[in-house]
């Protein structure tokens, strides 16, 4: 920087250089007079100088901010994946007979029907089927009750059935005799019927797939599916599925939850975990090969970390489809032979390495390749755009990680040299002892700690692997179920990520989803039940950063008498909705006092900035306020007009707030002023403010003219 400044002045005639020094000196003297004659600047608590000259800008990564999806809190099963039936294949009780069939229950009593499980399924991977023996009849001495007897499924804490919508019901059935089965959607106790039809067949002696559509005549967020008959005999059921027909693009994603993620404009999506990938034991880890192909043939598994069964309908293929639908780069986290309690010896790791290579081939392979053909058969002949893989999750210090990692790294680099690999070991403070393109960095802490970590990467080496902050969040008492306090601390941390985006490649909050009926982890970004959803303050906080992907970072310097409670950054971005350029300044006020902030935009022609703009604020009356189903918008961004925009802006920051100021630019970043004098002045002012305290102006102006002159000539 100093060399650049010197070069600027030595290229000018001496007279012009002296005139420039005199001008700055005059401005400084005038500055003192202004302080002594005006109360306006006396009231300023902070000054933010933004250097918008071209020589002081840096493009940020296109995928800097994204999302992390883990199957936790029933995020997928009973959440983003729109399947309404829980335990649709009767497999959750394990491959045993008899076994539990929860949440399925019977309609009737022991004198009318007997229900159990057996191994008669036609699906090899899913051998369990439900056997229903009906002992009552529509005639004779043991008459079935009106409507018949049978079984029902309440879904994941109630099925959301909406009037006018259509639902696709699929199930497999077998019986030695003819059947007449009533299928219906009812309220939670089976009294009110919302949709119904009858399945009648004379010969289902072999397993037969039945498919029908149910159109709802009423609405109920706590509905159930019923399968009933009043005909004596034995009926076997298997693989019962009920899906809304209006999922996103027909891809199976619940519309409202998909939209909430899409509205964040994520640059990437990391999946499917998390601890979900590892398992407490390897036998319960997520194994991608068991999650592809026809849904009826997927065995499902018990996630023993978060303690619930998943059918894995949201599987390897669906995650890549989700990434494509979001326009986000997929980041696949695969199991590296390590669980929470087990570790494969390096001498036996090659089958796991091959499984990872096969998983990459599934995503990227030619449609005629072994695993690419499986993807093509599922309806996606074009390869997915997989460029990132993570070798394990939080396994750095576990037994055999490094030795196994090197074998994964070598094999993937040889087969797919363009794929970037992510290590579980932190490289932010010292170099890694193994090759990697990125390294994982996870932070869960209280609010003060997270906010203070804004400068975490300030001193990280600028060469070598980049950081991937794949999990961050405020947790504990400060977070509650999702508080404003937590969101503000996280925003301060993310401003630090922006400023260090030359060494931080990506960042994502965790966890993304929670079903309110199964809060395994708090807080989370998006809360939902069967029919509704809302964003926590941390969700809305991330909206302030969604325009940062691929944006241009401007150098900014903050001077404040409360420097420990303020964080700020400035970017120039292009709004994809109106195709216009905006300058955005973001400021977090983590303190409990109102702050008067002066923003000075240097290095840009004043005519290139609009004279008005917008201000968006995330705040509330209490820093521990949370959103809820009763009040989902208690802590949400509030947008208003910024009437006096431009190069110099005097703004007010509310206590405990995140604020962004957006000003329309009349040109793109390449047309901004690159006047080096302007650059010098933008760098000079913060130096001066650090030397002389502008927040005690009398002290500032008491400095001698000799000292000021010497400072100018030094610059």
């Amino acid at each position: 920087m100093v060399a650049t400044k010197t070069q600027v002045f030595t290229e000018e005639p001496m007279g012009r250089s002296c005139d420039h020094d005199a001008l700055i000196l005059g401005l400084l003297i005038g500055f003192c007079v202004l302080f002594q004659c005006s109360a306006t600047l006396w009231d300023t608590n902070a000054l933010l100088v933004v250097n918008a000259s071209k020589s002081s800008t840096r493009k940020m990564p296109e995928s800097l901010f994204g999302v992390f999806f883990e199957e936790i809190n029933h995020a997928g099963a009973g959440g983003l994946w729109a399947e309404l039936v829980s335990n649709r294949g009767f497999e959750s009780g394990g491959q045993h007979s008899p076994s539990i069939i929860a949440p399925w229950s019977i309609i009737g009593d022991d004198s009318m029907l007997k229900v159990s499980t057996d191994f008669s399924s036609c699906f090899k991977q899913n051998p369990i089927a439900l056997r229903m023996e009906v002992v009552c009849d529509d005639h004779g001495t043991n008459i079935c009750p009106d409507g018949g007897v049978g079984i029902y499924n309440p879904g994941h804490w109630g099925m959301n059935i909406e009037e006018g919508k259509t639902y696709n019901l699929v199930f497999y059935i077998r019986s030695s005799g003819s059947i007449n089965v009533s299928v219906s959607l009812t309220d939670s106790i089976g009294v009110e019927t919302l949709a119904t039809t009858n399945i009648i067949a004379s010969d289902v002696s072999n397993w037969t797939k039945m498919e029908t559509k149910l159109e709802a005549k009423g609405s109920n967020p706590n509905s159930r599916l019923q399968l009933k008959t009043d005909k004596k005999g034995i009926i076997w059921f298997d693989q019962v599925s009920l899906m809304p027909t209006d999922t996103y693009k027909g891809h199976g994603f619940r519309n409202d939850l998909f939209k909430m993620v899409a509205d964040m404009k994520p640059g990437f999506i990391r999946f499917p975990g998390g601890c979900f990938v590892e398992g407490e034991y390897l036998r319960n880890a997520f194994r991608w090969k068991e999650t592809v192909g026809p849904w009826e043939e997927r065995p499902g598994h018990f996630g023993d970390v978060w303690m619930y069964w998943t059918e894995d309908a949201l599987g390897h293929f669906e995650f890549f489809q989700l990434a494509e639908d979001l326009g986000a780069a997929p980041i696949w986290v695969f199991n590296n032979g390590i669980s929470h309690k087990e570790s494969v010896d390096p001498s036996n790791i090659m089958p796991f390495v091959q499984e990872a290579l096969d998983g990459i081939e599934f995503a990227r392979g030619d449609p005629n390749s072994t695993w690419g053909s499986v993807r093509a058969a599922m309806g996606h002949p074009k390869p997915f755009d997989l460029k990132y893989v993570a070798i394990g999750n939080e396994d750095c210090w576990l037994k055999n990680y490094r030795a196994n990692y090197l074998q994964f790294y070598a094999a993937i680099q040889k087969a797919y040299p363009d794929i970037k690999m992510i290590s579980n070991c932190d490289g932010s403070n010292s170099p890694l002892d193994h090759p990697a393109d990125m390294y994982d960095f996870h932070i869960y802490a209280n609010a003060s700690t997270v906010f203070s970590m804004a400068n975490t990467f300030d001193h990280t080496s600028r060469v070598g692997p980049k950081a991937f902050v794949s999990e961050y969040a405020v947790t504990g008492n400060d977070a509650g179920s999702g508080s404003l306090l937590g969101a503000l601390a996280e925003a301060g941390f993310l401003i630090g990520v922006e400023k260090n985006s030359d060494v931080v490649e990506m960042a994502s909050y965790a966890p993304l989803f929670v079903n309110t009926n199964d809060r395994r982890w708090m807080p989370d970004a998006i809360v939902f039940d069967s029919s509704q959803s809302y964003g926590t303050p941390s969700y809305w906080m991330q909206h302030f950063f969604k325009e940062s992907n691929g944006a241009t970072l401007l150098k900014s310097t903050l001077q404040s008498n409360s420097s420990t409670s303020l964080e700020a950054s400035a970017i120039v971005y292009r709004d994809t909705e109106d195709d216009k350029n905006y300058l955005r300044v973001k400021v977090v006020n983590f303190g409990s006092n109102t702050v008067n902030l002066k923003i000075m935009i240097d290095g840009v022609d004043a005519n290139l900035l609009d004279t008005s703009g917008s201000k968006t604020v995330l705040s509330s009356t209490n820093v521990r306020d949370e959103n809820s189903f009763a009040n989902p918008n208690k802590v949400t961004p509030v947008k208003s007009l910024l009437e006096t925009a431009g190069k110099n802006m005097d703004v007010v920051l509310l206590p405990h707030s995140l604020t962004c100021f957006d000003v329309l630019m009349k040109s793109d970043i390449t047309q901004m002023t690159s006047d080096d004098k302007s650059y010098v002045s933008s760098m000079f002012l913060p130096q001066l403010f650090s030397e002389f305290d502008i927040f005690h102006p009398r002290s500032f102006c008491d400095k001698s003219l000799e000292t000021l002159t010497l400072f100018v000539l030094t610059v």
Side-chain angles (χ1 to χ4, degrees):
M1 289 299 183
V2 174
T4 303
K5 295 176 189 176
T6 304
Q7 183 180 8
V8 170
F9 286 105
T10 55
E11 288 179 352
E12 292 184 342
M14 183 175 294
R16 289 182 60 191
S17 177
C18 292
D19 290 345
H20 183 250
D21 292 340
L23 175 60
I24 293 181
L25 181 58
L27 289 173
L28 288 173
I29 295 171
F31 196 54
C32 289
V33 173
L34 180 61
F35 262 126
Q36 298 200 6
C37 298
S38 171
T40 302
L41 287 176
W42 285 44
D43 295 333
T44 297
N45 302 118
L47 173 69
L48 179 67
V49 178
V50 177
N51 184 359
S53 61
K54 283 188 291 187
S55 57
S56 188
T57 63
R58 185 180 76 240
K59 193 176 189 307
M60 295 192 289
E62 293 288 345
S63 300
L64 180 57
F65 296 115
V67 295
F68 165 43
F69 182 96
E70 178 168 16
E71 182 59 86
I72 180 177
N73 307 321
H74 275 85
L80 181 63
W81 188 249
E83 173 62 62
L84 295 175
V85 175
S86 177
N87 190 21
R88 66 187 181 187
F90 308 101
E91 304 287 335
S92 71
Q95 294 188 3
H96 309 285
S97 178
S99 61
I100 62 172
I101 61 172
W104 291 93
S105 296
I106 66 170
I107 304 169
D109 59 38
D110 289 346
S111 66
M112 301 174 186
L113 79 165
K114 302 181 187 331
V115 174
S116 62
T117 56
D118 63 21
F119 294 98
S120 64
S121 174
C122 60
F123 300 108
K124 182 179 178 181
Q125 292 272 69
N126 302 307
I128 301 297
L130 183 131
R131 180 182 186 274
M132 184 176 78
E133 181 180 0
V134 179
V135 296
C136 62
D137 208 341
D138 58 359
H139 62 279
T141 58
N142 190 7
I143 302 294
C144 292
D146 289 343
V149 296
I151 55 176
Y152 74 87
N153 188 290
H156 300 89
W157 302 282
M159 299 179 178
N160 182 41
I161 303 301
E162 298 179 76
E163 183 176 0
K165 289 192 174 183
T166 303
Y167 300 83
N168 194 49
L169 176 66
V170 178
F171 62 92
Y172 289 76
I173 193 168
R174 180 171 71 89
S175 181
S176 57
S178 61
I179 59 167
N180 185 345
V181 175
S182 167
V183 298
S184 59
L185 300 175
T186 74
D187 64 3
S188 62
I189 57 175
V191 173
E192 180 187 8
T193 300
L194 307 175
T196 187
T197 191
N198 279 72
I199 304 296
I200 301 172
S202 58
D203 183 9
V204 287
S205 55
N206 295 316
W207 280 106
T208 304
K209 181 179 182 179
M210 297 292 180
E211 188 166 0
T212 188
K213 295 189 184 302
L214 296 169
E215 183 177 345
K217 306 302 182 183
S219 298
N220 193 314
N222 192 25
S223 303
R224 72 189 199 185
L225 169 68
Q226 297 187 158
L227 304 174
K228 298 194 300 180
T229 185
D230 61 0
K231 185 176 176 60
K232 186 176 181 178
I234 302 175
I235 300 176
W236 285 264
F237 292 104
D238 200 8
Q239 298 300 330
V240 184
S241 170
L242 182 69
M243 291 279 281
T245 58
D246 66 344
T247 62
Y248 183 77
K249 289 187 175 181
H251 291 162
F253 308 121
R254 180 172 146 179
N255 272 311
D256 62 326
L257 299 184
F258 178 89
K259 184 178 185 302
M260 289 194 73
V261 180
D263 285 348
M264 298 167 71
K265 298 183 180 179
F268 67 86
I269 178 169
R270 176 182 184 239
F271 62 84
C275 298
F276 182 70
V277 170
E278 303 163 279
E280 285 293 308
Y281 295 92
L282 283 171
R283 63 180 175 269
N284 293 320
F286 180 86
R287 309 303 288 269
W288 77 265
K289 287 183 179 179
E290 297 178 351
T291 73
V292 297
W295 58 268
E296 302 97 328
E297 298 176 10
R298 303 183 191 185
H301 79 285
F302 179 73
D304 61 351
V305 176
W306 307 122
M307 302 302 289
Y308 61 90
W309 174 265
T310 63
E311 263 101 12
D312 291 327
L314 182 57
H316 198 54
F317 175 88
E318 288 76 18
F319 282 119
F320 282 105
Q321 185 64 69
L322 175 61
E324 185 175 271
D325 287 347
L326 289 169
I331 302 177
W332 178 37
V333 184
F334 58 76
N335 185 282
N336 61 334
I338 295 177
S339 70
H340 286 182
K341 296 183 178 179
E342 297 168 308
S343 178
V344 175
D345 188 86
S347 63
N348 299 320
I349 198 62
M350 285 312 297
F352 287 82
V353 173
Q354 188 58 53
E355 185 176 66
L357 291 172
D358 291 345
I360 296 172
E361 182 181 274
F362 176 91
R364 293 186 29 158
D366 183 275
N368 296 316
S369 64
T370 301
W371 287 102
S373 64
V374 177
R375 181 199 69 242
M378 295 180 71
H380 204 289
K382 182 180 177 181
F384 291 110
D385 189 23
L386 175 62
K387 296 178 181 177
Y388 306 92
V389 296
I391 303 174
N393 171 74
E394 295 180 346
D395 297 330
C396 179
W397 301 109
L398 297 182
K399 182 181 177 182
N400 297 330
Y401 179 73
R402 283 170 171 77
N404 289 347
Y405 173 94
L406 291 173
Q407 295 192 57
F408 281 100
Y409 185 91
I412 295 172
Q413 187 180 56
K414 181 179 179 180
Y416 302 97
D418 63 311
I419 283 186
K420 292 186 177 181
M421 283 172 275
I422 304 165
S423 167
N424 289 177
C425 301
D426 179 13
S428 61
N429 293 316
S430 58
L432 298 178
D433 60 1
H434 53 274
D437 298 290
M438 287 187 277
Y439 58 86
D440 256 332
F441 184 94
H442 293 182
I443 174 62
Y444 296 102
N446 61 43
S448 295
T449 299
V450 171
F451 184 79
S452 69
M453 293 182 70
N455 61 356
T456 294
F457 299 99
D458 287 2
H459 304 293
T460 296
S461 173
R462 264 46 200 172
V463 296
K466 303 291 183 73
F468 177 22
V469 185
S470 57
E471 299 181 31
Y472 72 85
V474 171
T475 54
N477 292 333
D478 287 349
S481 299
S483 68
L484 173 63
L485 176 63
L488 296 179
E490 293 153 3
F493 173 69
L494 290 192
I495 284 177
V497 167
E498 281 187 325
K499 290 184 171 182
N500 287 284
S501 55
D502 56 329
V503 294
V504 181
E505 188 75 13
M506 300 174 175
S508 52
Y509 179 90
L512 180 60
F513 285 116
V514 61
N515 187 313
T516 192
N517 297 285
D518 187 37
R519 291 180 178 264
R520 304 277 168 164
W521 183 285
M522 293 191 300
D524 310 88
I526 300 170
V527 184
F528 66 89
D529 62 14
S530 70
S531 63
Q532 55 189 335
S533 57
Y534 67 85
T536 63
S538 291
Y539 168 80
W540 291 111
M541 175 277 297
Q542 293 175 70
H543 280 249
F544 286 71
F545 292 85
K546 65 184 181 183
E547 303 296 351
S548 295
N549 290 339
T552 299
L553 179 71
L554 307 181
K555 185 174 180 62
S556 59
T557 306
L558 183 67
Q559 183 74 10
S560 168
N561 60 1
S562 56
S563 58
T564 58
S565 65
L566 295 180
E567 289 291 343
S569 68
I571 65 170
V572 172
Y573 71 93
R574 192 167 193 84
D575 191 320
T576 55
E577 293 184 5
D578 62 12
D579 202 31
K580 294 180 180 179
N581 295 300
Y582 290 86
L583 186 150
R584 168 172 287 186
V585 174
K586 290 190 293 291
V587 191
V588 179
N589 180 6
F590 196 60
S592 56
N593 296 319
T594 299
V595 172
N596 297 309
L597 174 68
K598 176 173 283 294
I599 302 173
M600 298 175 63
I601 313 295
D602 207 353
V604 62
D605 190 326
N607 293 324
L608 295 180
L609 294 174
D610 206 340
T611 56
S612 63
S614 65
K615 176 177 73 171
T616 307
V617 181
L618 184 70
S619 190
S620 191
T621 54
N622 189 312
V623 74
R624 295 187 180 274
D625 279 348
E626 302 180 1
N627 293 332
S628 63
F629 287 123
N631 193 353
N633 299 314
K634 188 171 188 176
V635 187
T636 54
V638 177
K639 188 173 183 178
S640 60
L641 179 66
L642 180 65
E643 296 181 350
T644 55
K647 290 192 65 172
N648 297 298
M649 297 179 281
D650 293 299
V651 298
V652 176
L653 306 176
L654 296 176
H656 296 128
S657 65
L658 167 60
T659 308
C660 77
F661 305 95
D662 291 284
V663 181
L664 176 66
M665 300 189 67
K666 300 174 184 176
S667 68
D668 62 31
I669 193 70
T670 61
Q671 296 176 297
M672 293 170 66
T673 303
S674 59
D675 187 340
D676 289 311
K677 295 194 191 78
S678 187
Y679 173 71
V680 169
S681 67
S682 69
M683 297 302 295
F684 166 72
L685 283 172
Q687 281 184 291
L688 179 63
F689 297 149
S690 64
E691 184 75 17
F692 305 113
D693 190 354
I694 68 165
F695 304 109
H696 297 87
R698 294 191 187 281
S699 172
F700 172 85
C701 292
D702 284 343
K703 301 295 182 180
S704 68
L705 180 62
E706 179 183 354
T707 306
L708 289 171
T709 304
L710 179 62
F711 193 89
V712 173
L713 293 178
T714 301
V715 176

